Amino acid sequence: MKTVKEVSFVLIGFLLLLIAEGCSGKEDSVSSATWESTAETATVVEAVTVNSGKLYGTVSTSGRIRGIYEALIVSEASGIVQSFDVVPGQRVEKGDRIAGLDETISLLNAEQAKSAWENTRLDLDVVSSLQEKGNASRTELLRARTAESGARAAWEQAVKNLRDRTITSPLDGIVAWTDPDSSVGNYLTPGTAVARVVDTSAFFIYADLGERQTSLVGPGAVVQIYPGNLPGEGIPGRVSAVASGIRNSTGGYQAVITFNVPDGLSLKSGMAVRVDIEANLEEIQLLIPASAVMQSSSEAYVYVAENGRAVRRKVTPGEALGDFIAISGGLKIGDEVIISGIRRIADGSPVQVTTVNLASRASFGG
């Protein structure tokens, strides 16, 4: 016969078994309700549509306005300045007097040279007559001719020296500046610059290009010119020539820009300008934001949005400029390249795409 103590142990064990089974059943029911989720969350991203265009589009540089013709007028003779006949801003014509030097000595030299030449001419006439009659040898005739030729050259040089005492303008234009040290009473030496005359009937610009820019710009390129003293819209012009060699004074390659001056616009030689030049030699390429290009150890790639998924696409990047890069392989016009959230997606990830249009200096659609 069982004791009361044994019965108590049996009942307690039975109750513990029931509690354990009840707990196990509750856990299974919860697990079956939360065991698996089939919904995928799409990553919100932005994308741009691949288009073609020019990476540079335009080339910016600077230069200075110059008259179509400009002449630095120098003294070819030495002497004291007797007169200085122009001031800056004065209009002159070709041959007009700029300055005059003392002519006293030059006049005497010219008169003496003329007299000496006339004497040799008379001697030559006499010897020629005698030689025709057989009374003078050919050697004597040759000597007379040589003397006459030398005297004539000396007279012509004396006349030139006298003429050089008067400094004149070689062209029609406006006096841009004069040398204050060439005023009356000062002594000039040959080669001294006394004035500059500028033909302002037309203007052009010398602008320097860098090595890379010379491969982008050629004759015929459209230009917008922005003088520093004239804010607002640019003046249209064109590139007429690009140098084939470097200019030592600046280290650049010279581009010559021609333009017509609008009526009422005040431009002067020497004014500094900024110019934007069309990159007319640049090739059309596929362009995307440089930030979209990822780099692994073996390749460059981007993510393209296709049918709500991010698809990894190998690409061949080219030259980059600013925020944009040229792509020479792996993409086509119309592809949507993902540009945001790239670190949160992988190949095949679901994406929710917003297409954006980025404004930049890249010239799309060219």
Side-chain angles (χ1 to χ4, degrees), residues 169-202:
S169 174
L171 50 82
D172 297 345
I174 295 176
V175 178
W177 62 264
T178 59
D179 176 27
D181 292 333
S182 299
S183 58
V184 174
N186 284 339
Y187 183 84
L188 297 186
T189 57
T192 301
V194 298
R196 180 185 291 276
V197 174
V198 179
D199 181 351
T200 58
S201 61

Side-chain angles (χ1 to χ4, degrees), residues 5 22-23 38-39 42 49 65 67 94 103 110 120 150 152 175 292 325 328 331 336 352-353:
K5 188 174 182 180
C23 292
T38 58
T49 302
I65 294 175
K94 182 177 180 180
E103 298 179 347
T120 57
R152 183 176 68 249
V175 178
I325 189 169
S328 59
L331 293 175
E336 289 195 328
Q352 180 181 335
V353 180

